[in-house]
């Protein structure tokens, strides 16, 4: 029986996920595979490299560094989260990502991105911690309007959360029978249609499929949450979610707030009963 780990995104709400994952790593909990979306991809890859503590460490260290995340970066580069800094300088020089450990760990790691031409989900298994892998992780986390589409092999991609924000069905479809799902919204949360969504249409005129994905996202997202509840009831999944809305937005520059959300995640991880996955 293959056990999987399914990680939602949510920008800096993903520090909740980082707290959960660090507790699981410290406990030596093993999974056959993991799939991450957006922040779930950026932070979840550290599970395969076995680097507990790395996510909260570098986020707090660079919380107020304009090279990491700033309007200055957006104006200069087209990316709120500076691509060169986040996906080259930081993992290769400033807080090294352990590529050797990542590649030697037999656990599969998958990410989800959204194809800008179709608005559909694209799934990639990343076995190597190379430039291509970092491009897919960057694509998975590239929020529309504040990020440039990421070009990979002739295609353009953006945030996987636009098309499959909690890819439990995908993981089940490739053979993962028992899954731990970590969300960054409280259980019972539901999305509603965005007000004034029409204002985004001219800004996304080059990418009409992305606009359509934004417009209809709430429908499939809510249906996915209902599906997760059914799988939990069936005993095929375990859900870890915050008990209350997390006191952080998608973007945060306050190390104390980051630590608080991370600690909430740690507490949730410590309180989780994983027996259902056995």
């Amino acid at each position: 029986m293959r056990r999987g780990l399914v990680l939602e995104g949510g920008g800096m709400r993903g520090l909740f996920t980082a707290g959960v994952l660090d507790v699981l790593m410290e406990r030596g909990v093993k999974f056959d595979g993991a799939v991450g979306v957006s922040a779930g991809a950026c932070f979840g890859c550290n599970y395969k490299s076995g680097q507990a503590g790395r996510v909260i460490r570098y986020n707090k260290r660079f919380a107020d560094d304009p090279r990491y995340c700033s309007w200055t970066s957006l104006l200069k580069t087209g990316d709120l989260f500076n691509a060169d800094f986040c996906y080259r300088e930081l993992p290769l020089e400033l807080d090294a990502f352990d590529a050797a450990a990542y590649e030697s760990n037999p656990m599969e790691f998958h990410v989800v991105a959204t194809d800008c031409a179709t608005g559909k989900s694209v799934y990639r298994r990343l076995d190597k911690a190379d430039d291509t892998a970092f491009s897919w992780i960057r694509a998975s986390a590239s929020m529309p309007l504040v990020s440039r589409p990421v070009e990979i092999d002739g295609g353009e991609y953006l945030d996987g959360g636009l098309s499959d924000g909690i890819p439990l069905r995908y993981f089940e479809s490739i053979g993962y029978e028992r899954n731990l799902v970590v969300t960054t919204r409280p259980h019972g949360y539901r999305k509603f249609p965005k007000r004034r969504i029409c204002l985004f249409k001219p800004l996304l005129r080059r990418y009409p499929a992305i606009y359509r994905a934004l417009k209809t996202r709430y429908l499939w997202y809510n249906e996915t949450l209902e599906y997760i509840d059914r799988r939990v009831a069936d005993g095929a999944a375990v859900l870890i979610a915050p008990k209350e809305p997390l006191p952080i937005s998608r973007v945060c520059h306050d190390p104390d707030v980051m630590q608080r959300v991370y600690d909430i995640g740690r507490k949730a991880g410590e309180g989780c009963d994983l027996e259902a996955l056995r």
Side-chain angles (χ1 to χ4, degrees), residues 197-268:
I197 186 71
C198 59
L199 297 178
F200 295 162
K201 190 171 185 179
L203 299 174
L204 293 167
R205 59 187 177 277
R206 288 185 55 202
Y207 304 102
I210 294 298
Y211 172 72
R212 290 194 296 272
L214 276 170
K215 191 174 181 179
T216 59
R217 181 186 179 200
Y218 74 99
L219 294 170
W220 64 255
Y221 184 87
N222 291 342
E223 195 280 329
T224 297
L225 294 177
E226 293 167 3
Y227 179 76
I228 291 169
D229 284 348
R230 293 197 297 272
R231 298 305 284 157
V232 170
D234 291 341
V238 172
L239 174 65
I240 298 181
K243 293 182 179 180
E244 299 175 348
L246 294 170
I248 196 169
S249 60
R250 281 183 170 272
V251 176
C252 176
H253 300 287
D254 187 331
D256 292 335
V257 173
M258 291 178 174
Q259 184 69 51
R260 192 178 314 142
V261 171
Y262 172 80
D263 289 342
I264 293 171
R266 286 194 63 93
K267 186 175 181 180

Side-chain angles (χ1 to χ4, degrees), residues 7 23 39 55 59 84 93 127 130 140 161 183 208 272:
L7 309 173
V23 168
V55 171
N59 272 283
D84 184 67
E93 301 172 12
D127 295 327
D130 55 13
S140 182
T183 65
C272 179

Side-chain angles (χ1 to χ4, degrees), residues 5-263:
L5 182 60
V6 180
L7 309 173
E8 185 181 23
M12 286 300 167
R13 292 197 309 272
L15 291 171
F16 169 85
T17 302
V20 172
L21 298 186
D22 281 358
V23 168
L24 298 181
M25 278 192 273
E26 290 161 8
R27 290 181 172 180
V29 179
K30 305 294 184 182
F31 294 90
D32 299 294
V35 57
V37 182
S38 196
C42 293
F43 299 165
C45 61
N46 293 274
Y47 207 95
K48 183 169 167 64
S49 66
Q51 290 178 278
R54 179 173 180 267
V55 171
I56 187 61
R57 181 175 66 240
Y58 77 69
N59 272 283
K60 290 175 65 176
R61 177 181 173 187
F62 299 110
D64 205 30
D65 191 322
R67 297 174 299 169
Y68 183 37
C69 173
S70 68
W71 295 113
T72 299
S73 173
L74 179 62
L75 292 172
K76 286 185 175 181
T77 70
D79 293 302
L80 184 64
F81 286 85
N82 186 288
D84 184 67
F85 183 81
C86 294
Y87 299 98
R88 185 194 61 79
E89 188 172 358
L90 197 162
L92 296 182
E93 301 172 12
L94 300 175
D95 196 324
F97 183 74
D98 193 337
Y102 178 95
E103 292 173 10
S104 66
N105 186 340
M107 184 186 85
E108 295 180 0
F109 188 70
H110 301 244
V111 300
V112 187
T114 301
D115 189 320
C116 291
T118 66
K120 302 298 183 182
S121 303
V122 176
Y123 306 92
R124 285 292 182 273
R125 174 177 162 178
L126 307 178
D127 295 327
K128 298 288 186 180
D130 55 13
D131 289 344
T132 298
F134 282 122
S135 291
W136 279 111
I137 291 171
R138 176 188 161 202
S140 182
S142 290
M143 298 178 287
L145 304 177
V146 294
S147 307
R148 294 169 294 165
V150 179
E151 297 183 13
I152 308 173
D153 296 332
E156 291 185 304
Y157 304 92
L158 282 170
D159 192 342
L162 296 170
S163 54
D164 191 1
I166 316 174
L168 174 59
R169 276 196 178 95
Y170 164 69
F171 239 30
E172 290 181 337
S173 76
I174 61 171
Y176 286 89
E177 300 171 83
R178 293 286 187 273
N179 292 283
L180 173 63
V181 181
V182 184
T183 65
T184 58
R185 298 285 196 181
H187 182 249
Y189 169 84
R190 292 296 184 269
K191 286 189 182 296
F192 294 93
K194 282 187 175 294
R195 293 183 177 182
R196 303 184 181 90
I197 186 71
C198 59
L199 297 178
F200 295 162
K201 190 171 185 179
L203 299 174
L204 293 167
R205 59 187 177 277
R206 288 185 55 202
Y207 304 102
I210 294 298
Y211 172 72
R212 290 194 296 272
L214 276 170
K215 191 174 181 179
T216 59
R217 181 186 179 200
Y218 74 99
L219 294 170
W220 64 255
Y221 184 87
N222 291 342
E223 195 280 329
T224 297
L225 294 177
E226 293 167 3
Y227 179 76
I228 291 169
D229 284 348
R230 293 197 297 272
R231 298 305 284 157
V232 170
D234 291 341
V238 172
L239 174 65
I240 298 181
K243 293 182 179 180
E244 299 175 348
L246 294 170
I248 196 169
S249 60
R250 281 183 170 272
V251 176
C252 176
H253 300 287
D254 187 331
D256 292 335
V257 173
M258 291 178 174
Q259 184 69 51
R260 192 178 314 142
V261 171
Y262 172 80
D263 289 342

